[in-house]
Amino acid sequence: MDLYPLTNSLRIAAISAAVVFFIGIAAAYYIAKCPRIIKGILDVIFTLPLVLPPTVVGYLLLLVLGPKRPVGAFFLENFDVKLTMQWWSAIFAVTVIVFPLMYRTARGAFENFDENLASAGRTLGLSNTYIFWRIRIPACKQGIIAGVVLSFARALGEYGATSMIAGYTPGKTATVSTAVYNLWRTGNDALALKWVLINIAISAVVLLCINLVEKPYKRRAR
């Protein structure tokens, strides 16, 4: 049994979760401070990938990153780098798909943060950077951790956009999700079922981790 789809899926999910961790936190922090109208507009834009069909997201990415499209052509002509049909091409698709999960959970955590703590820190002469990383982030860590874990789990099972921008090449771009589809399509139901069970097991472990993180927080809240 070739384990490449699993290792490839894990690295794509891990890299995507790391990317949306920083981008999602930054977007959530600054947008939470925006006026209501601007916040509403940006919310719609940033949350749209969550409700759009993944194939639509993949198609839109191809319009930008394809070898004959603006960004894709630029990288191909100047750096001889093709942005599609590589294993790391899936990172673009997965990052866009899972970003709303990280953004929404982080923003909710920031909006529930007690700003009196930040004000107290400023009166003590603490910098905004120190307050953000040493006061705000620790106070909001439950929501942030939940966002990262959910993003990782969703990234691990992404298929639609990934199949469009990275395709399926055994040993090169294959992921668990694309492998399941292609194994089913070729009639190899036994191996497809094995990958399905592996994906279910990993997802169950991820959800268990979320529950383990939430329980200590609920006890402290009581």
Side-chain angles (χ1 to χ4, degrees), residues 84 114 147 161-162 222:
T84 57
D114 185 359
T162 298
R222 291 196 197 101

Side-chain angles (χ1 to χ4, degrees), residues 181-205:
Y181 173 76
N182 280 276
L183 288 169
W184 167 80
R185 188 172 58 85
T186 55
N188 194 345
D189 289 345
L191 189 54
L193 181 59
K194 288 182 181 179
W195 282 121
V196 169
L197 294 176
I198 290 173
N199 206 347
I200 290 173
I202 295 174
S203 299
V205 170

Side-chain angles (χ1 to χ4, degrees), residues 32-55:
K33 294 182 173 183
C34 290
R36 185 175 179 180
I37 295 178
I38 296 177
K39 184 191 296 185
I41 294 172
L42 293 176
D43 262 351
V44 171
I45 295 173
F46 287 158
T47 310
L48 204 55
L50 191 63
V51 295
L52 284 175
T55 50

